[in-house]
Amino acid sequence: MDAPTTRTDNKASTELYSDEELRDAMELLFFSYRDLIREPDAILEEYNFGRAHHRVIHFVGRNPDITVTHLLSILRITKQSLSRVLSQLVRENFIQQLEGPIDRRQRLLSLTQKGYELEDDLSRDQRNRITSAFVRAGPEAVNAFYKVLLNMMNNSEEFKQRAGT
Amino acid sequence: MDAPTTRTDNKASTELYSDEELRDAMELLFFSYRDLIREPDAILEEYNFGRAHHRVIHFVGRNPDITVTHLLSILRITKQSLSRVLSQLVRENFIQQLEGPIDRRQRLLSLTQKGYELEDDLSRDQRNRITSAFVRAGPEAVNAFYKVLLNMMNNSEEFKQRAGT
DNA sequence: GCATATATGTCAATAACACTGACTTAATTA
DNA sequence: TAATTAAGTCAGTGTTATTGACATATATGC
């Protein structure tokens, strides 16, 4: 490698994981993420939808009767950004908005039958991919996979709590 | 869950991994990916760069003397999309282009000293995150993590070959 | 040596998805 | 009643991608 010393200056070759190994891990995440969204991307195109629509469909599907505010906090986008996507999904009857029974300002979001069907379609290849990856790697590997990713992210406690239900 | 039957119709509760478990895995990837790019995103902003610049810096850093064509095939974007980002990075002296010694049409790309410094900066938090996730999960978990992600992606053989060098 | 193919770069128009800022409306809460 | 909250809208902007059409220099096949 003809990289200058700043790069190869690895602090210590005695360290557990080399910088290059860590960069490998990052690429692995990059490539597997890319391959995971490839098929849904193709399906979305048929509807003239984009990834933003997929994310909304996914999180509304997993959190029936979610409020707009809560959805915004998960997606971490602005109201205006969500608006375009969400109003399209409502207009085309993939998502329905119901007035909150307690707080009538709220518009509780949920998937319609049509929305569930699209979600099923969009996630099919992803579920197949993950299943086959889990099966091929074995059950201990699945736990390890969860452990590593949870350690990588910020609010892992919150996630575990949600996923545990 | 009050989802209609299309959703909860899980084919079989005897299956190894439930649809909800698989959707958990997808969210886990989504959230950890998002947290991984958070810090680099903030650094890029100081330079008025975006994620596209980061990707170029990363892959040029890992593949010194890469050709434009090869870089395009890794990134899977068009020449025109790369052009804007790459010419900026060259103009600001993060990347240098050298005429190919054999094929003089080629412009071999590599990071300058300044480019390596930026790459180091951008990847620091990511490397720290991954290291700590690996350490906390233990060495067997790291192998399992690789195994699962490799099984999820398309050209895993190609990746393993590259990463193995 | 000439025709063809390849590597790179550029101009122009368009689209998806995000942003900021400034408001409005309706309903809840202090 | 006043202030706050939930949701939505209008207008303008920026980044990153796209397609299509060309231009230039170099390499390669016959």
Side-chain angles (χ1 to χ4, degrees), chain B residues 65-115:
Chain B
D65 293 330
I66 191 175
T67 64
V68 171
T69 308
H70 187 193
L71 182 56
L72 286 174
S73 79
I74 291 178
L75 297 172
R76 287 195 202 151
I77 56 174
T78 57
K79 215 179 0 171
Q80 297 90 322
S81 295
L82 176 60
S83 168
R84 180 184 44 85
V85 171
L86 183 57
S87 55
Q88 245 180 307
L89 290 168
V90 169
R91 200 182 317 123
E92 300 185 28
N93 198 34
F94 293 99
I95 286 181
Q96 60 192 346
Q97 298 170 300
L98 294 173
E99 191 173 82
I102 295 154
D103 188 335
R104 281 168 47 220
R105 292 171 304 179
Q106 297 176 333
R107 299 283 170 270
L108 305 186
L109 306 172
S110 55
L111 295 186
T112 61
Q113 175 75 27
K114 195 178 165 194

Side-chain angles (χ1 to χ4, degrees), chain B residues 48-67:
Chain B
N48 280 312
F49 288 162
R51 279 181 205 167
H53 300 79
H54 190 183
R55 287 196 287 272
V56 170
I57 294 241
H58 172 89
F59 285 109
V60 170
R62 299 218 71 191
N63 302 277
D65 293 330
I66 191 175
T67 64

Side-chain angles (χ1 to χ4, degrees), chain A:
Chain A
M1 277 229 203
D2 51 2
T5 46
T6 34
R7 178 63 173 288
T8 41
D9 186 10
N10 238 344
K11 264 129 205 170
S13 50
T14 57
E15 271 187 13
L16 227 48
Y17 302 104
S18 74
D19 281 1
E20 290 313 291
E21 198 171 353
L22 297 170
R23 288 190 177 92
D24 271 344
M26 272 161 24
E27 281 189 26
L28 199 50
L29 277 164
F30 175 78
F31 287 126
S32 49
Y33 194 82
R34 182 173 70 177
D35 291 342
L36 266 178
I37 57 181
R38 209 179 189 184
E39 176 63 19
D41 272 359
I43 296 171
L44 290 161
E45 223 171 281
E46 299 168 26
Y47 295 83
N48 281 312
F49 288 163
R51 278 179 206 168
H53 300 79
H54 189 183
R55 286 195 287 270
V56 170
I57 295 240
H58 172 89
F59 285 110
V60 171
R62 299 219 70 190
N63 303 278
D65 294 331
I66 190 175
T67 64
V68 172
T69 307
H70 187 193
L71 183 57
L72 285 174
S73 80
I74 291 177
L75 296 173
R76 288 194 202 152
I77 57 174
T78 58
K79 217 180 357 172
Q80 298 90 323
S81 294
L82 176 61
S83 169
R84 180 184 44 87
V85 171
L86 183 57
S87 56
Q88 244 180 307
L89 290 168
V90 170
R91 200 183 316 126
E92 300 184 28
N93 198 35
F94 292 100
I95 286 182
Q96 59 191 347
Q97 298 171 299
L98 295 172
E99 191 175 80
I102 295 153
D103 188 335
R104 281 166 49 221
R105 291 172 302 179
Q106 297 177 333
R107 300 280 171 273
L108 305 186
L109 307 173
S110 55
L111 295 185
T112 61
Q113 176 74 27
K114 195 178 166 196
Y116 274 112
E117 281 162 16
L118 178 55
E119 196 286 332
D120 191 59
D121 232 38
L122 289 172
S123 65
R124 187 166 302 113
D125 175 77
Q126 298 187 324
R127 284 180 280 119
N128 287 342
R129 256 174 208 279
I130 296 174
T131 299
S132 112
F134 279 3
V135 168
R136 280 190 272 174
E140 345 71 43
V142 174
N143 278 327
F145 170 80
Y146 279 114
K147 217 196 260 183
V148 172
L149 286 184
L150 282 171
N151 281 327
M152 244 176 237
M153 62 184 274
N154 288 335
N155 278 34
S156 53
E157 288 312 314
E158 196 189 308
F159 182 86
K160 272 189 276 189
Q161 198 192 331
R162 276 198 309 108
T165 54

Side-chain angles (χ1 to χ4, degrees), chain B:
Chain B
M1 277 235 199
D2 53 1
T5 47
T6 34
R7 178 66 172 287
T8 41
D9 185 12
N10 237 343
K11 263 126 205 174
S13 51
T14 58
E15 271 188 14
L16 226 49
Y17 302 104
S18 73
D19 281 1
E20 290 313 292
E21 197 171 352
L22 297 170
R23 288 189 178 92
D24 272 344
M26 270 161 24
E27 280 189 28
L28 198 51
L29 276 165
F30 175 77
F31 288 125
S32 49
Y33 195 82
R34 184 171 70 176
D35 290 342
L36 265 178
I37 57 181
R38 209 178 189 185
E39 177 61 20
D41 272 359
I43 296 170
L44 290 161
E45 223 170 281
E46 299 168 26
Y47 294 85
N48 280 312
F49 288 162
R51 279 181 205 167
H53 300 79
H54 190 183
R55 287 196 287 272
V56 170
I57 294 241
H58 172 89
F59 285 109
V60 170
R62 299 218 71 191
N63 302 277
D65 293 330
I66 191 175
T67 64
V68 171
T69 308
H70 187 193
L71 182 56
L72 286 174
S73 79
I74 291 178
L75 297 172
R76 287 195 202 151
I77 56 174
T78 57
K79 215 179 0 171
Q80 297 90 322
S81 295
L82 176 60
S83 168
R84 180 184 44 85
V85 171
L86 183 57
S87 55
Q88 245 180 307
L89 290 168
V90 169
R91 200 182 317 123
E92 300 185 28
N93 198 34
F94 293 99
I95 286 181
Q96 60 192 346
Q97 298 170 300
L98 294 173
E99 191 173 82
I102 295 154
D103 188 335
R104 281 168 47 220
R105 292 171 304 179
Q106 297 176 333
R107 299 283 170 270
L108 305 186
L109 306 172
S110 55
L111 295 186
T112 61
Q113 175 75 27
K114 195 178 165 194
Y116 273 111
E117 281 161 16
L118 178 55
E119 196 285 332
D120 191 60
D121 232 39
L122 288 171
S123 65
R124 187 167 302 113
D125 175 77
Q126 299 187 322
R127 284 180 280 121
N128 287 343
R129 255 175 208 278
I130 296 174
T131 299
S132 111
F134 279 3
V135 168
R136 280 189 273 175
E140 345 70 45
V142 174
N143 278 327
F145 171 79
Y146 279 113
K147 219 197 256 185
V148 172
L149 285 184
L150 282 170
N151 280 327
M152 245 177 236
M153 62 184 275
N154 288 335
N155 278 33
S156 53
E157 288 312 313
E158 198 190 305
F159 182 87
K160 273 189 274 188
Q161 199 193 330
R162 275 198 309 108
T165 55

